[in-house]
Amino acid sequence: MTRAWEADIAAECDAWRAALGTAGFSDDGHTLRGPVRWQHPDGRTVIATIEVTITESFPFSPPKVRILDPGLAIELTFHRERDGSLCLWRSDVDVSDAPWQAPERLLDRVAVWLTNSAAGWPSDDDCDLERYLLPDSQLVLYNRDVLTAISGCVRTFTDPATGRVTISGESQRPPSRWRTSKRQDGRRGRRRQPKIGRKQRRLAWVTDIGQVDKPIYDWDSLCTTLGPDAGEVRRLVSIGVIDFVLLRYRRSSATGVLAMAVRTTSGKARFDVRACESADTSVTTRILRAGASAAKLSDRRVAVVGTGAIGSFVVDLLFRHGVRQFTLIDPQLLRPGNLVRHLAGEALVGYSKVSAVKARLAGLGFDVSGVNTRRDEIVTPDQSMALLRDHDLIIDATASPRTTALLAWAARHVDRPVITVCAQRQGTVVRVDRFPLRGGEQHLSALPPLPGPDLGREHGCDNPVSPTPPAAVVAAAQLACRAAVDELILDCALPATLLDVLAPQEPPFDVIGMRMGSAR
């Protein structure tokens, strides 16, 4: 029995096919074929013949469209899948207003595609050359900043655990060509195969090919693109020296990188080229997703006092946002019981919490030389005053009334900001306060504790354990990060208290959501 949703989609497809039929398309029940009128760049009107096939993902994805006859001799190059179907829209097009659902808009799009193709795709900056080759399973990593000035053979390193390949910036001299020895009587001897050393295997050929006018589909088109280097690359691939080719290229004003695995097949008579998924490891690429404020945060100095549950995630978030200068302060070791709410994992149990957090930051691939750790406590006025003088911001994640009072007192004397963060009422409320107050600001009143179950105690240290769940820890860290960034980039737009009610409380906290202290 046909389900209701299937009937709805079938009816939509039938109506769509019927609309193409009125535009002169034939329909054999599977594929539709018909004309598209398009404008050549020289002004001529041309009629092409196309083939349209509805796929199983329609109407949430466009149908497959192939050019059967463009109407005159033009070379079809970019914006095509490997099966020859056209790439007409980007994958981020809003499906709620999908243009392909209207047949006339689909045909208009094909006409524009043909016009651009005939013109050679002027001003097109899509750097996606890997889509035109069969895929290889290997992930290739490279540092684009390092390889910018390098051309020729470089060494690669393969991770035995994951199989990922890293293309280094270390140049490697390739083996010489075949040599012919001379006999004592002056006659030519046998040709000798060049000796291939251990460091001369599994190399990559790196070069810049400039502006790209055509995709690379196979070995022959790769050799055409390589130009004068093609012969040497062919030789090195055939003797098992080069396994990868990495090309820097341009499309209009954009730049791209194509990584390919190359090998011989059929007894070294043929060459196989496949596109590898590749990724740039440079700092430039790593900070692309850090947010617009990353550049402003890179030289700010932040001290985080308390790197337990909330504090560890605060450090992680700020580091990801772009802060690189930290002082982490906490006297405790990481215990197995901490892990469910802590940034660090099992492998770091037994390390100090500050060292464990720094190790996790190092795993992100950034320089952590600016992250200093102190297995210590802040208990004296001298300590607190010195800490504030040496940093642009202090974050107190200790949940200790004594530490909070001490740092708030120091903030009033040094006029440097201190942010305190905590989860309250078993994690149903998270709160951030900033000191000192500015102008006529006021903090929200302290939230009185509610009676609840007795806190559990952890064997081995006999400390009480709050039942605050991990989600509340992360929510508190996010709130503190928001307040910290506001202070560090000198926006100073947030009030002195941010209190987020995560579960309904007694009035006036009976509605989930944010409460704020009064602004200036």
Side-chain angles (χ1 to χ4, degrees), residues 213-227:
D213 298 321
K214 298 178 183 179
I216 296 171
Y217 300 104
D218 50 25
W219 175 258
D220 289 337
S221 56
L222 172 59
C223 287
T224 300
T225 302
L226 289 171

Side-chain angles (χ1 to χ4, degrees), residues 177-181 189-195:
R177 293 182 174 273
W178 287 66
R179 294 177 296 173
T180 303
S181 62
R190 293 185 305 172
R191 296 182 68 199
R192 292 189 300 172
Q193 184 173 354
K195 183 178 180 180

Side-chain angles (χ1 to χ4, degrees), residues 168-219:
S168 75
E170 182 181 346
S171 297
Q172 176 64 52
R173 183 177 179 180
S176 59
R177 293 182 174 273
W178 287 66
R179 294 177 296 173
T180 303
S181 62
K182 290 184 178 181
R183 296 168 48 176
Q184 289 184 352
D185 57 9
R187 290 186 296 174
R188 299 179 66 183
R190 293 185 305 172
R191 296 182 68 199
R192 292 189 300 172
Q193 184 173 354
K195 183 178 180 180
I196 302 175
R198 178 178 58 85
K199 292 184 178 181
Q200 294 174 317
R201 296 187 181 276
R202 205 164 168 76
L203 302 183
W205 183 274
V206 178
T207 191
D208 192 324
I209 59 174
Q211 188 73 23
V212 173
D213 298 321
K214 298 178 183 179
I216 296 171
Y217 300 104
D218 50 25
W219 175 258

Side-chain angles (χ1 to χ4, degrees), residues 273-285:
V273 181
R274 293 177 182 261
C276 299
E277 183 174 350
S278 63
D280 180 18
T281 63
S282 69
V283 173
T284 304
T285 292

Side-chain angles (χ1 to χ4, degrees), residues 25 88 162 396 408 424 505:
F25 277 69
L88 296 171
T162 63
D396 166 30
Q424 299 178 322
Q505 315 285 311

Side-chain angles (χ1 to χ4, degrees), residues 96-415:
S96 64
D97 184 34
W100 57 81
Q101 295 180 14
E104 65 276 8
R105 296 177 70 183
L106 173 71
L107 300 183
D108 288 344
R109 189 71 172 184
V110 174
V112 172
W113 188 98
L114 284 162
T115 300
N116 286 332
S117 192
W121 293 101
S123 304
D124 183 69
D125 60 359
D126 279 358
C127 294
D128 55 355
L129 290 187
E130 60 276 356
R131 74 182 308 158
Y132 304 99
L133 290 162
L134 289 172
D136 188 89
S137 61
Q138 297 174 98
L139 172 65
V140 172
L141 304 180
Y142 60 90
N143 188 315
R144 189 171 182 176
D145 294 343
V146 170
L147 296 179
T148 297
I150 293 178
S151 184
C153 284
V154 297
R155 297 186 66 191
T156 70
F157 302 94
T158 302
D159 184 337
T162 63
R164 72 185 183 193
V165 177
T166 299
I167 296 180
S168 75
E170 182 181 346
S171 297
Q172 176 64 52
R173 183 177 179 180
S176 59
R177 293 182 174 273
W178 287 66
R179 294 177 296 173
T180 303
S181 62
K182 290 184 178 181
R183 296 168 48 176
Q184 289 184 352
D185 57 9
R187 290 186 296 174
R188 299 179 66 183
R190 293 185 305 172
R191 296 182 68 199
R192 292 189 300 172
Q193 184 173 354
K195 183 178 180 180
I196 302 175
R198 178 178 58 85
K199 292 184 178 181
Q200 294 174 317
R201 296 187 181 276
R202 205 164 168 76
L203 302 183
W205 183 274
V206 178
T207 191
D208 192 324
I209 59 174
Q211 188 73 23
V212 173
D213 298 321
K214 298 178 183 179
I216 296 171
Y217 300 104
D218 50 25
W219 175 258
D220 289 337
S221 56
L222 172 59
C223 287
T224 300
T225 302
L226 289 171
D229 292 333
E232 178 67 354
V233 173
R234 180 189 294 271
R235 178 182 78 88
L236 295 176
V237 173
S238 66
I239 62 176
V241 170
I242 286 181
D243 284 2
F244 303 94
V245 173
L246 188 140
L247 303 179
R248 302 187 299 271
Y249 65 93
R250 292 189 300 278
R251 294 287 316 283
S252 188
S253 60
T255 59
V257 172
L258 173 63
M260 294 165 285
V262 291
R263 59 181 69 87
T264 57
T265 60
S266 303
K268 298 188 177 181
R270 301 180 61 185
F271 294 84
D272 181 55
V273 181
R274 293 177 182 261
C276 299
E277 183 174 350
S278 63
D280 180 18
T281 63
S282 69
V283 173
T284 304
T285 292
R286 290 178 186 269
I287 64 173
L288 283 175
R289 298 171 176 84
S293 61
K296 297 179 181 178
L297 295 172
S298 61
D299 63 348
R300 299 294 193 266
R301 297 164 300 167
V302 177
V304 179
V305 185
T307 57
I310 295 175
S312 66
F313 284 101
V314 170
V315 175
D316 182 61
L317 285 173
L318 287 175
F319 191 77
R320 292 172 186 267
H321 272 72
V323 177
R324 294 291 177 266
Q325 307 296 319
F326 278 103
T327 300
L328 309 182
I329 303 173
D330 195 302
Q332 296 183 341
L333 298 177
L334 186 69
R335 304 169 61 86
N338 298 136
L339 299 184
V340 73
R341 292 193 311 213
H342 200 275
L343 177 70
E346 181 74 26
L348 294 168
V349 167
Y351 287 78
S352 64
K353 288 182 178 179
V354 289
S355 296
V357 171
K358 182 174 180 177
R360 286 300 303 267
L361 301 184
L364 296 176
F366 294 101
D367 180 14
V368 293
S369 61
V371 179
N372 300 307
T373 60
R374 288 169 46 183
R375 192 178 171 191
D376 194 6
E377 291 183 274
I378 303 298
V379 295
T380 70
D382 282 346
Q383 286 179 310
S384 62
M385 296 288 279
L387 195 65
L388 265 74
R389 289 193 184 101
D390 291 341
H391 296 85
D392 297 299
L393 175 69
I394 311 298
I395 298 177
D396 166 30
T398 62
S400 164
R402 294 181 182 181
T403 303
T404 299
L406 181 60
L407 291 172
W409 168 85
R412 291 192 294 271
H413 284 78
V414 180
D415 198 26

